[in-house]
């Protein structure tokens, strides 16, 4: 004899399992973040990560990839650039990727000299540096950020501090 409660309980658990299972499967052909406007593939994401490491390499301090700055740059381009800026960024990036695959010795300095790739290289470099300076690591370890510029010293008169 079948118990109706057991059947309903089993159906609920099966439904939850079926709904939850796709989130557990990781596919290698997916990028690591969802973008609204940009379309990049995993190979392009790896190239952007390697370029970020060329800009800020890992030494005794974490590098750009360790801090995820290539994700920061992609998110900034996706969310903050207008459609013309996104198109210019992606066309410069695609030109850089094509030239890099043809000539593996292509560096960011050589690409910055080319008119077609200069906008991408300069923009990506500035986004990586901005992301590094705004990262938690930089603001806590390199240049500790202080919310209040200085402490209040009540024993010093205001008039005496102004004259000295």
């Amino acid at each position: 004899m079948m118990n109706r409660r057991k059947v309903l309980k089993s159906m609920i658990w099966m439904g939850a399992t079926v709904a939850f299972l796709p989130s557990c499967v990781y596919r290698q052909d997916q990028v690591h973040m969802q973008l609204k406007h940009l379309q990049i593939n995993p190979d392009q994401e790896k190239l952007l990560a390697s370029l970020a490491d060329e800009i800020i390499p890992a030494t005794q301090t974490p590098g750009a990839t360790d801090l995820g700055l290539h994700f920061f740059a992609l998110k900034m381009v996706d969310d903050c650039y207008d459609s013309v800026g996104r198109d210019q960024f992606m066309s410069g990036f695609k030109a850089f990727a094509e030239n890099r695959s043809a000539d593996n010795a292509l560096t960011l300095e050589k690409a910055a000299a080319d008119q077609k790739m200069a906008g991408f290289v300069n923009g990506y470099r500035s986004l990586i540096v901005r992301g590094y300076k705004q990262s938690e690591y930089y603001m806590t370890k390199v240049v500790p950020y202080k919310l209040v510029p200085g402490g209040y010293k009540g024993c010093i008169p205001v008039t005496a501090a102004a004259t000295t």
Side-chain angles (χ1 to χ4, degrees):
M1 183 175 212
M2 189 171 286
N3 189 352
R4 199 177 325 165
R5 287 184 183 190
K6 285 184 180 180
V7 171
L8 285 174
K9 188 177 177 181
S10 299
M11 287 177 60
I12 289 172
W13 277 108
M14 274 181 43
T17 303
V18 168
F20 180 70
L21 191 61
S23 66
C24 296
V25 177
Y26 174 72
R27 292 182 8 213
Q28 291 290 343
D29 60 339
Q30 283 184 326
V31 291
H32 288 89
M33 68 183 313
Q34 294 293 326
L35 301 170
K36 295 179 210 167
H37 306 289
L38 298 178
Q39 299 294 324
I40 63 167
N41 59 36
D43 293 332
Q44 290 173 331
E45 183 182 336
K46 289 177 188 174
L47 178 60
L48 286 170
S50 69
L51 291 176
D53 266 344
E54 285 183 27
I55 297 168
I56 301 177
T59 55
Q60 290 85 12
T61 62
T65 304
D66 299 330
L67 297 174
L69 298 181
H70 57 290
F71 295 130
F72 171 79
L74 280 174
K75 195 66 172 166
M76 288 293 289
V77 171
D78 190 52
D79 288 346
C80 300
Y81 283 24
D82 60 348
S83 62
V84 175
R86 283 191 300 268
D87 292 341
Q88 288 175 348
F89 182 87
M90 286 307 292
S91 66
F93 174 61
K94 288 177 182 174
F96 181 84
E98 289 170 4
N99 290 336
R100 178 91 172 224
S101 64
D103 179 19
N104 203 15
L106 181 67
T107 61
L108 289 171
E109 287 76 27
K110 290 179 186 176
D114 186 355
Q115 185 67 23
K116 193 173 186 182
M117 296 179 275
F120 160 71
V121 171
N122 295 330
Y124 190 64
R125 183 180 291 142
S126 69
L127 286 172
I128 293 297
V129 171
R130 179 193 295 176
Y132 185 74
K133 287 186 173 183
Q134 292 177 354
S135 69
E136 179 183 355
Y137 171 78
Y138 184 83
M139 290 200 150
T140 57
K141 305 284 192 254
V142 178
V143 180
Y145 175 75
K146 294 181 182 177
L147 184 61
V148 178
Y152 173 73
K153 297 182 175 131
C155 63
I156 300 174
V158 176
T159 56
T163 58
T164 56

